[in-house]
Every structure is written in C-alpha cells, then in structure tokens.
Amino acid sequence: MTRPAATAPVLTRSIATSPNRPTSRRKYQRYNALQTRPRCSHQPRLSAISRRRYHSHDHPAPAGPFTPAEAALLSAAYHHVPSHGFTPESLALGARDAGLLDISPSILRDGAFSLIRWHLHTQRASLAGKAEKLAAAEKDKPMTVAEKVEALTWERLKGNVEAGIVGRWQEALAIMAQPSYVPTSVKELAQLADEIVYLAGDVSVDPSWYTKRASLSAIYAAAELFQTTDQSPEFRETRAFLRRRLDEASQAGGAMRSIGEWIGFNAGAAVNVLRSKGVRI
Amino acid sequence: MAARTALRRALRPLRSAIIPSEQQLHLARPFSTTLPSRAANPSSSSSSSSTPEYAIPNPARPTHFGFETVTEGEKRERVAGVFTSVAESYDRMNDLMSFGWHRIWKDHFVASLNPGFSPLTSDTDPRGPQHILDIAGGTGDIAFRMLHTAHVLNANPSVRVTMSDINRAMLTVGKQRSAELPASQQAALSFVEANAEDLTRTRPLHPYPSPAEPTTHDAHTHKPEQAFFDPATATGSIPDASVDLYTVAFGIRNFSNIPAALREAHRVLKPGGVFACLEFSKADKHPLFNSLYKEWSFRAIPLIGQLVAADRDSYQYLVESIERFPSQTEFRDMIVDAGFVVAGEGYEDLTGGVAAIHKGMKPRA
Ligand SMILES: C[S@@+](CC[C@H](N)C(=O)[O-])C[C@H]1O[C@@H](n2cnc3c(N)ncnc32)[C@H](O)[C@@H]1O
C-alpha cells in the first residue's frame, strides 16, 4: 500500500496537537448503517463497566459503529454463522473469503462477540427499510401504533430466520451473558426497543415512554428465546407468543414476568459457560 | 561483566545531568520519543519516493534518550548499553515497573492474538504456515508464549517464530532460555539480529560474548566487543510480505525512529497480516492513580535499580522513556499513518492505561 506523500505534515500535526483533530476524525469515520435522526432526548446512558478485571473502566466498546476494516471482516464472517456459529471459526473463514489471513480477525477486540454485535447492529439497521414497506402496505388499512410495534417486532424476529442464525442464538446468548459483555448486550436490546417504538410512530414524551421501552425490550428478549426452541412451521408459535405477551403487557406484571424468564435463562447460560471453562460453581 | 561496567561508566557522565525533580515531573511533554517530523526539514522533501523523510533512519538526526536529546545513532548505542547492562536483571526490572502485571499483560496480549488458530476445515490455509516475527524479542517472553499457544493450545505445530533484537546480549539470554522448550518448539524458533528500523539488513544470532572473538576481559588491549548489531555485518534480510504477525512488546519506545519501524513492519507483513504492540502507556485518565504511579516510577525505580542492580542510570532511562512515549491515540494515529487499518479505537488499555495494546492490520493492496 502506498501512502500519499502528504503524510509528513499530518504526522506533525498529530503529534503536536490535541487528540480531537479533524484529520483523525476523518480517518476514524465509522461504518454506521443507522442514520442519526431526532428521537427522544431522554435516553438513559448505560455506563460501561470493565471488560476484564484488569482493564480500564473508561473505554467502552463502541456499541454500533464499525470501522471499515471491522465491517469487511465481520460482514464476510457473518455468512458462516449459520454453519459455524458466532465463533472464531466463522471469523477466520470470513477472513479467508475476504482474501485476508487466519490471524486478521485478531484485530477485533471482542472476537466472537464482535460478530454478535454485527448481527444486532445490521438487523436493527434494516428495520427502517422494513418499516417503509409496512407503511406502503398500510395505505388502505391504517394500523394503530400498537399494531405497528407488533409488526416491526415480528419483522425483527423474522430477520433471525432470514439470516439463518436461529439455531445459533442460544450459543450467542451464552456469550452475551458473560459479565464483560452484558452492558453492551443490554444496551443493544434497549436500542432495538427504541428503534421499534420510534419507527412505529410513537412520539409521546412522557413517563410511560420508559415503561413502554422496558416492556418491549423484555418481551422481545423473551420472544427471541422462545424462537430458539420453536419447531412450528414458519415460527407460528413464536408469533402467537409475541402477540400474547404484548397483550399481557397492558396488564400489570406482564412485563415483569418476561424479564424474570430472560434473566433466569441467561444466568443459567452463564453458569454453563463458566463451567465449560473449568470454573467450579 | 567488564563490558557492562565499561558501558555503565560510559553512560554515567551523559546521564548524570538528569536528576528527577518535581519540575520535570510536571513538565508538559506532548512530544513522542521520536520527533522525526520536526527534525526533518519538510521543504527538503526527498525525491519522488512516497516514504516521508522522517521515516528513513538517519544516524545524525536528533531524537530523545530519556529526557535528553541525542542523535539517532547515539541513541541506538546508548539503548544497547542500557539493555546490555540490564540483560540479566531484566525480569526483575519488568516486575518493578509493572508491579508484576507484565506477566499477566503478556499472557493477555498473546491470548488476544490467538496465534496458530485455524478454522476446522479439511483444507489447510492456502497461504502456507503462519510466520510470527517477534521484534525487540529480548529474552523471549513473547516468542515462547506464542509458540506455546500455537503449538500446544491450538495444536498447530507448523507455526514458525522468528525472534529478533538489536542486542545480541539479550538475544543470547533468550536463546539460552529456549533450551528448556520442547524440541519441536525449539525447531520452530529462530534468532535474528536486526535493527527494527531497517529489516532489510539482518544476520543470524552470533552469541554474545562471542566464543571466537576476543573476550571482553581483554578490553585493555582489544576494542571491546559490541553487543549491538552492526548493519555492516548483515548477511540477510526479511523479505516483503513474508510475515503473518509482527509483535513488539516493551520495545518500541526504545526505537530511535518509530515511523521507520512501523514502515518496516508494514513492508514485511503479508496483506491481512497484523501488527501488534504491547507497551507502557498513559494512565492519565485516572489522575490520582497516575500521580502515584509517576511518583513510584520516577523516585523508587531508579533507586531500586541502584540497590538491586547497582545500575541507577539504566533504570532511570527506562522510566524516562516510558514518560516520553506518545499517548494511546497519538500512537494509534502513527500506526494508521504507516498504512495500517484498525478496528474500534485501535487500542486497548491494560490496568488503567499503565500499559496498552495497539493492533493494526495491513490491508489488501
Ligand atoms: C524491554 S526489552 C523487551 C523484551 C521482550 N519483548 C519482553 O517483552 O520481555 C526491549 C528490547 O528492545 C530492544 N531494542 C531496542 N532498540 C531496538 C531496535 N532499534 N531494534 C530492535 N530491538 C531494539 C532492546 O535490545 C531490548 O531487548
């Protein structure tokens, strides 16, 4: 790779000035499939916790955006997930497809979890396009906000089927339940709920907004878990499960039950992962 | 022994000007170890080459030795002196500088690279076995871990490791230590003398002190044997695009010309190959922790160096060189300027930033 001759002055600047230079920002321009759009201003910020015990506490993994190098590695690896799971194998096979080396994915800080982040991010990003299709179909028969929430959540669940990862999702949940990845995983889930509520056209800015979002997160997570064991044609039972839960959510306690189930599963998965790594618990 | 004493003696007058003081501790030092771009005259840009002038090693150009300014050539000799004099007390020194963390950092560094990992497919990598080049390999801490991970944990005995250093004394200690490795790992390991800034000129390790050449005890009658590699004696070279993984741990801050070393890393790596660096870094995101760490390193370490190794100057240099090294983001930008691409922020802080891992990938042309 040849570098432009203009490198020297850039370096001079990069050494002499503060870290927030426009040059470096241009270089670190991220691949971000989600456009920035106005949305509720009171989104809570989940603080990052340390990824491993001896690591810094102030370096959260960038949740959504990916550098071009990451995007190239991860998009190639994603094709291997249906057959090899969210694993280092998929990453290495993807690197080979991209004309790179087995060692190349080692630049990804979170290994297989980066691949999960890629899945979550690209699936979430594709919802906007699906919302447009729904809106077009809606012309003759307008939908309520609640109906749109259900339709979009179902679209997101179908995304798992289309990507061929339903059979791999329990493994992924086990990785996501590892303590260092929980904050990012929870944040992704919250962002998905945001996106669905936003695309469904709910513009209310009142205290119920938090409740709605929390309920939707919990219901989505429960439905996704249900999906991993669903053998019915076209995941009909998952769809019915989703409907029931959304109906229940209007009654007190419904959301809490979903949250409880989700936590229960993830705690179990986390224990199994730790055991498989030789931790005696 | 005599050589080390002589080197120390040679260093002392040069070093005695530096006494750590409050003042120096609080000086803002925004510049890196190497200030090539400032030293080089931008108007006298060299020919049509795409290589910036500062990235070409020049023994006469000013650089830093700790807090002093010396020429690149002088720095190379004096760094060699430091490492010759600490070669044997080296492990102890690392423990002191990092409170013992360096072993955990090194384990994490190697685990995060996962050398020798290969997908479970019937066909082997069409690009052939993995080649790892451990630059500034010193006494072998990184190279031995790489071999263990690749050969044992990943059951991939085809992985080869080349350990390289500018200092024969360090490399000789490394070779002696490697005698304890399993034979198959020894067979996959080679030792090369080279300056990281110019990997086109190398030679296989000539043990130090050389059994054939006059020993250092004859220093009165003979010129003392040099511990550092003299490029005039080169017999080989590391070819372009021949390396899968280039590692440098606790070495790069000692280089006279870091951009030149990064350019060489880029040259020798295959497309898709990975540059990985473990180095002391800046803990300044945590002010209290940072000031405690600085107190410790500037006051205690040279003193302990004096007591443990009777070598205050070398330890003093090590502390200052850490202080001089660019911040995480500055160094990341230098890696990108050398033609690498990064993932995420391009670095990972360890223990609050006392050390950091930087990684970059050479993209496909
Ligand atoms: C602190 S030791 C690190 C050794 C080993 N990598 C480790 O982590 O234990 C630094 C090494 O850098 C080497 N070194 C310094 N300048 C160099 C250069 N220009 N080229 C190659 N090696 C160099 C020194 O000789 C020394 O062995």
Side-chain angles (χ1 to χ4, degrees), chain B residues 246-305:
Chain B
Y246 172 115
T247 56
V248 56
F250 303 116
I252 207 160
R253 70 170 187 281
N254 300 300
F255 297 176
S256 311
N257 188 334
I258 295 173
L262 291 172
R263 207 183 99 248
E264 276 296 86
H266 190 271
R267 179 183 69 78
V268 302
L269 280 166
K270 303 173 187 172
V274 170
F275 166 86
C277 172
L278 171 61
E279 187 54 272
F280 285 105
S281 199
K282 301 263 183 276
D284 43 19
K285 291 158 198 153
H286 310 272
L288 179 66
F289 176 57
N290 190 36
S291 60
L292 286 174
Y293 181 67
K294 278 201 181 142
E295 279 297 300
W296 166 261
S297 55
F298 278 89
R299 290 175 180 278
I301 289 178
L303 184 62
I304 295 172

Side-chain angles (χ1 to χ4, degrees), chain A residues 37 39-46 191 194 209-210 213:
Chain A
R37 56 166 76 95
R39 53 173 81 209
C40 281
S41 56
H42 49 263
Q43 294 175 46
R45 292 255 168 278
L46 286 164
Q191 284 175 337
D194 273 0
W209 190 85
Y210 282 115
R213 200 181 64 154

Side-chain angles (χ1 to χ4, degrees), chain B residues 76 79 83 90 93-94 106 134-142 164-167 170 194-197 249-251 253-256:
Chain B
R76 206 159 290 138
V79 167
F83 284 105
Y90 174 71
M93 178 208 71
N94 262 346
K106 285 171 180 167
D134 183 34
I135 288 289
T139 56
D141 275 9
I142 298 300
S164 177
D165 203 289
I166 199 171
N167 187 312
M170 292 289 278
N195 176 357
E197 294 151 37
F250 303 116
R253 70 170 187 281
N254 300 300
F255 297 176
S256 311

Side-chain angles (χ1 to χ4, degrees), chain A residues 66-85:
Chain A
F66 298 88
T67 67
E70 276 176 299
L73 282 164
L74 293 171
S75 59
Y78 194 48
H79 297 298
H80 293 277
V81 174
S83 43
H84 292 87

Side-chain angles (χ1 to χ4, degrees), chain A residues 21 28 54 67 98 100 104, chain B residues 127 272 332-333 336 351 364:
Chain A
R21 297 165 312 279
Y28 291 97
Y54 50 92
T67 67
L100 302 169
S104 307
Chain B
R127 281 148 299 218
R332 188 262 325 274
D333 291 352
V336 170
T351 317
R364 280 170 58 190

